[in-house]
């Protein structure tokens, strides 16, 4: 497994002879595309299609729960089974600064794969596939830049699967209660904006 991990890392990882444009593109993907998660969560909650807002908000809450589970699971695995990043082992080339903290599973990967899988399972096929492409792009960029091993991203994918399962179980137990409390809090905080029609009720 370790040999395969090193082999695929060597294939993906950029080198000093790699295109500067590709390295810049990968850096942008690695650093900024992850912000699609809060932007979509907030944007769809506030301005999603009015005729499907109830189901959409349930999806968003389940997704947010899955993300919380994902970060907790990733944190737990990282502390139980610490793993060095490639640059800590002086393996390959690194093109983006990162603290030498735990590599497995990738936190970025865990978050974006969980987000993509949530939409794949609970929304529509096209949205899930679109977000999975985004997730794979982020995973590629962080390997390409030398921040993670391929196995870190594979582990992140499985963290996403586990987290979506846990969120589904949690939703069955506490979903209605969570939605009632969140909607009450939201309508209290955004009452004036809702009255003006600037955001959904």
């Amino acid at each position: 497994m370790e040999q395969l991990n090193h082999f695929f890392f060597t294939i993906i990882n950029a080198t000093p002879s790699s295109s500067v444009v590709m390295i810049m593109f990968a850096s942008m993907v690695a650093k900024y595309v992850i912000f699609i998660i809060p932007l979509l969560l907030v944007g769809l909650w506030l301005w999603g299609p009015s005729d499907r807002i109830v189901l959409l908000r349930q999806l968003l809450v389940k997704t947010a729960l899955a993300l919380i589970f994902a970060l907790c699971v990733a944190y737990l695995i990282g502390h139980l089974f610490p793993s060095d990043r490639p640059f800590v082992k002086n393996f390959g080339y690194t093109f983006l600064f990162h603290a030498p903290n735990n590599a497995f599973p990738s936190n970025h990967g865990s978050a974006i794969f969980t987000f993509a899988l949530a939409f794949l399972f609970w929304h529509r096929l096209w949205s899930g596939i679109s977000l999975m492409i985004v997730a794979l792009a982020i995973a590629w960029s962080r390997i390409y830049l030398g921040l993670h091993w391929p196995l870190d991203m594979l582990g992140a994918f499985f963290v996403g699967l586990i987290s979506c399962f846990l969120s589904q179980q949690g939703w069955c137990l506490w979903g209605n209660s969570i939605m009632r409390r969140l909607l009450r809090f939201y309508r209290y905080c955004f009452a004036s904006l809702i009255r003006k029609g600037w955001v959904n009720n």
Side-chain angles (χ1 to χ4, degrees), residues 12-190:
I12 300 170
N13 184 219
T15 69
S17 62
S18 297
S19 165
V20 174
V21 174
M22 281 298 293
I23 291 172
M24 290 176 62
F25 171 73
S27 297
M28 291 182 63
V29 172
K31 290 193 290 187
Y32 301 119
V33 175
I34 195 71
F35 291 110
I36 195 173
I37 294 177
L39 288 174
L40 278 178
L41 286 175
V42 173
L44 290 174
W45 180 281
L46 295 176
W47 301 291
S50 300
D51 58 331
R52 298 197 304 273
I53 196 65
V54 174
L55 292 175
L56 186 58
R57 284 178 173 169
Q58 289 176 354
L59 161 70
L60 297 176
V61 174
K62 286 171 72 175
T63 302
L65 280 175
L67 288 167
I68 293 169
F69 280 124
L71 294 177
C72 291
V73 170
Y75 178 85
L76 184 62
I77 293 173
H79 279 72
L80 290 176
F81 308 101
S83 173
D84 289 331
R85 293 176 183 269
F87 59 84
V88 174
K89 293 185 173 182
N90 293 316
F91 195 93
Y93 301 93
T94 308
F95 296 90
L96 187 66
F97 174 78
H98 199 288
N101 52 10
N102 183 65
F104 181 88
S106 164
N107 288 330
H108 273 73
S110 296
I112 195 63
F113 277 120
T114 299
F115 194 67
L117 287 166
F119 274 74
L120 190 63
F121 294 148
W122 302 322
H123 191 237
R124 299 197 177 155
L125 185 63
W126 67 264
S127 62
I129 290 174
S130 299
L131 288 169
M132 190 58 68
I133 292 170
V134 172
L136 290 171
I138 291 176
W140 162 80
S141 70
R142 297 184 75 81
I143 300 168
Y144 184 78
L145 297 170
L147 303 180
H148 278 286
W149 304 100
L151 196 58
D152 300 339
M153 295 303 173
L154 183 61
F157 177 82
F158 283 105
V159 167
L161 287 175
I162 293 167
S163 301
C164 286
F165 172 78
L166 292 174
S167 179
Q168 182 62 49
Q169 302 312 304
W171 181 260
C172 292
L173 294 173
W174 314 300
N176 291 333
S177 175
I178 291 172
M179 280 301 299
R180 282 197 305 270
R181 292 169 187 270
L182 270 178
L183 284 171
R184 191 181 305 126
F185 178 74
Y186 163 71
R187 287 166 179 160
Y188 174 79
C189 294
F190 287 78

